[in-house]
Each structure stands twice: as structure tokens, then as C-alpha cells.
Amino acid sequence: MGFDYYGILGVKRSCSQLEIKKAYRRLALKYNPERYDNDDNMRRIFALIGEAYEVLVDHEHRAVYDQYGEEGLKKGVPGPHEYIQPYSYHGEPIRTFEEFFGTTNPYADLLDYYEDPPPMFDSPLGKGYKEKDPTIVRPLALSLEEVYKGGLKKMKIQRLVFTDETCSELKLREKVLSIPIKPGIYPNTEVRFKEEGDQGPTRIPADVVFITEDRPHERFVRSGLSDLLMVRTVTLQEALCGFMIDIRTLDDRILHVKISDVVTPMYEKILEDEGLPVPICPQKAKGNLIIRFQIVFPEYLSKRTKKAFEEAFRVRDEEDEKFAKLKCGTLSTTSFYKL
């Protein structure tokens, strides 16, 4: 999972530019590594704060990040008029600090602080309670094989955590979250991890929520909740005369499906219980596998071939007429077979 720049600065996704600048000012002063004898962990936190500020304060970078996340921001994405180039932080947080404050002195704002001290009860901590950070939402892309079989999906996150019981120091740590995947899990299912966001002295960590989505598959696509759909291309000869399909299922079985019906543009072959498991009863209930067909017509037919088709359809019409007479009782079964 990529960095949550809003979480790093402790602002809402709907925040204004002024709120972003205020948050950076507060955090840059608090975590400036010069206050901690150039501690390596504080350097990393300080760099993250600088990177988050540079992304969110720039309107274009922020728009790309909001839509595509950190990955899209750093790989580049197509824009409305031209390709938007990848963003890369210059890696000099002190440079960001100096451009913001106009100085590298981390205590340059102390005079402002003493001349206009903030009211003690303006902060949530001063009012006796902590505010909970907004929920962090991330997509969880699953292959159809993972959906079919279920299991555990592991996702790595990075978060700021307290390093001791005094809650006086924060460090960046990685954590692996194990996400249970129930067989047949539906798209847009939320998996919530309570308070797994960044820790802080004046806030309750945000919940981290993963929302499931299906990855594109080479053979199948989900239809509805538990049905699978596949499209098979067939020739006109196969559509009229029949054929055999070999289908590899999501659990690596091979199905031999014989198609003897005439395949029309609206024809579907339904294989019951060959779809995805139903989550409430995955061992017993499954959806269906629906096979649709795309008929490829020949681009050219010779005169001989056309005559052959005409003869075939003439024979078909004669047989239809005989069946109609037999059904009405005007033709005996013995006479039908003699004809």
C-alpha cells in the first residue's frame, strides 16, 4: 500500500491549501531532525512530511494522487491534453523547509508563537478528547482464482507508531495485515482493520479499509454475484454442425462440452454449478457458467459452395414440411421414411 499523504499531514481529503500549509508548518517544526541530533528515524519522517506537503500543495500533483494514488503519481498517467510526467520527490526535505519558511532555522517561528500563543483549549486534546482520523480506504484486487479458492491475502502497510510507553517518540514501521478471503467473496466487500493508521498524541488512529474488486481474467468475467461468463468464437460451420469445447476451470479441471444445437447469435450454453462459490455456503452452492458465442462468417463463398448451401437448405425445408405433415396426421410414419 502506498503512502497516505493526507494521513501523514493529519488533514482531511477535503482540506484547503491553507490547512495543508498549517499542517506542514506544525509537523516540520516538530520533527525537524536538528531537534533530535539528526536521528535517522526523524530524518525519514521529516522527508515524508516534506514529500506529502509538496504533493498536496501542488494542484496537479494532488489531482493525480487523489485519482490514481501514489503509484499513478510516480509512474505518470494520461492527462486530458498530454501525458502527465511521473512525479519524483527531490529527496531534500531541508530544501522544502527553507522554501516554505525562508530559512533553515527550525526555531524561526518561536517569536510568532510567544507573541500570539494558541489557546490551550482550541485543540481536541485540550478539550479532553481525541478525534479519530478519517478512514483510509484502499482497493484490494483479487484474481478470479483467489475468489474461487479463498484463503489469506497479505498486504503491507507503513504507519507511524509510538516506540515506547511514554508515547513521546514516533517511528515509521511496516506491518503486514492478513486479510481473510472467503470463497466466492463479492466485489465491493469491505474488510476493516480498526485503528491501523498512524498513531499520534492528539488523535485516534484511522481505520484501514480494503474494498475488494475483481482483476481482469483471460477466460472469464463475473456475471452478477456468483455466475461466470465466457465468450467463445466459432465458425459458421461449427455454429451449424456442432463442435466440442474444452474449458479449463478456475480449479484446474478440464470440462469437455459438446454443442449439438444450432448456435444462433442469442444462443447461450449454461453449465450449472460451474460458477463461483456462494459465500454463505461455498462448499455446497455455486453459480453457473454461461457460455456465449461470437459467430465468424466467411468473407467469400464460391458458386459451388453457395449451391451446396442452397441444396442443404432445400433439404432442410423438405424435412420441415414432412415433419409438419406428420404432426398434422396427413402423412403416415411409413410414408415419411419412404420419402
Side-chain angles (χ1 to χ4, degrees), residues 25 28-30 32-35 46 94-95 97-111:
R25 178 186 179 89
L29 290 170
K30 180 177 180 180
N32 192 298
E34 293 187 17
R35 297 183 59 189
F46 189 60
I94 290 296
R95 171 179 151 190
F97 186 96
E98 185 175 8
E99 290 174 353
F100 183 88
F101 289 96
T103 176
T104 57
N105 181 3
Y107 308 108
D109 71 333
L110 287 179
L111 183 59

Side-chain angles (χ1 to χ4, degrees), residues 69-314:
E70 183 196 1
E71 183 178 2
L73 177 71
K74 293 186 176 180
K75 287 186 177 180
V77 296
H81 303 295
E82 58 183 9
Y83 187 79
I84 299 176
Q85 295 299 317
Y87 164 79
S88 177
Y89 185 55
H90 50 66
E92 300 179 23
I94 290 296
R95 171 179 151 190
T96 305
F97 186 96
E98 185 175 8
E99 290 174 353
F100 183 88
F101 289 96
T103 176
T104 57
N105 181 3
Y107 308 108
D109 71 333
L110 287 179
L111 183 59
D112 293 339
Y113 180 89
Y114 284 113
E115 289 181 350
D116 186 18
M120 184 179 72
F121 296 103
D122 277 358
S123 69
L125 187 61
K127 296 177 181 178
Y129 67 87
K130 295 183 179 181
E131 289 183 347
K132 188 168 184 175
D133 286 344
T135 300
I136 300 171
V137 179
R138 291 288 180 267
L140 178 62
L142 301 173
S143 68
L144 287 181
E145 284 82 3
E146 290 174 318
V147 173
Y148 186 93
K149 298 174 183 177
L152 281 179
K153 184 83 170 179
K154 295 186 180 296
M155 298 293 288
K156 184 184 293 186
I157 64 171
Q158 292 182 321
R159 58 196 293 251
L160 294 172
V161 297
F162 289 116
T163 58
D164 53 33
E165 296 180 355
T166 63
C167 298
S168 59
E169 184 180 3
L170 286 168
K171 288 189 177 181
L172 193 64
R173 292 282 188 264
E174 287 187 346
K175 184 173 183 178
V176 177
L177 301 178
S178 297
I179 305 173
I181 305 300
K182 195 168 187 178
I185 188 170
Y186 297 142
N188 298 316
T189 298
E190 292 189 2
V191 183
R192 182 178 295 269
F193 292 87
K194 291 187 176 180
E195 300 182 9
E196 290 291 352
D198 292 332
Q199 296 179 351
T202 61
R203 62 188 184 187
I204 300 173
D207 292 347
V208 177
V209 173
F210 293 94
I211 300 181
T212 61
E213 60 183 34
D214 294 340
R215 282 181 180 166
H217 194 272
E218 60 181 359
R219 298 188 302 278
F220 306 113
V221 65
R222 191 196 295 253
S223 177
L225 295 177
S226 298
D227 290 343
L228 288 175
L229 172 67
M230 69 172 293
V231 178
R232 167 70 186 268
T233 300
V234 297
T235 64
L236 180 59
Q237 178 183 347
E238 289 174 324
L240 296 176
C241 302
F243 55 98
M244 183 76 73
I245 308 176
D246 292 336
I247 303 173
R248 182 179 294 276
T249 64
L250 294 175
D251 55 347
D252 289 328
R253 291 177 293 117
I254 301 295
L255 301 179
H256 304 287
V257 182
K258 184 177 182 180
I259 306 295
S260 55
D261 300 325
V262 174
V263 176
T264 66
M266 302 303 294
Y267 177 81
E268 291 183 344
K269 182 69 174 180
I270 298 178
L271 305 181
E272 295 183 354
D273 299 325
E274 290 295 347
L276 295 170
V278 178
I280 58 174
C281 190
Q283 301 302 323
K284 296 182 179 180
K286 291 182 180 178
N288 298 327
L289 171 57
I290 304 169
I291 310 173
R292 292 177 184 166
F293 300 92
Q294 183 178 4
I295 305 171
V296 178
F297 288 82
E299 296 182 358
Y300 169 78
L301 290 177
S302 66
K303 289 183 178 181
R304 182 180 176 185
T305 304
K306 289 181 179 179
K307 286 183 179 180
F309 270 106
E310 290 174 356
E311 177 64 18
F313 285 121
R314 185 187 64 78

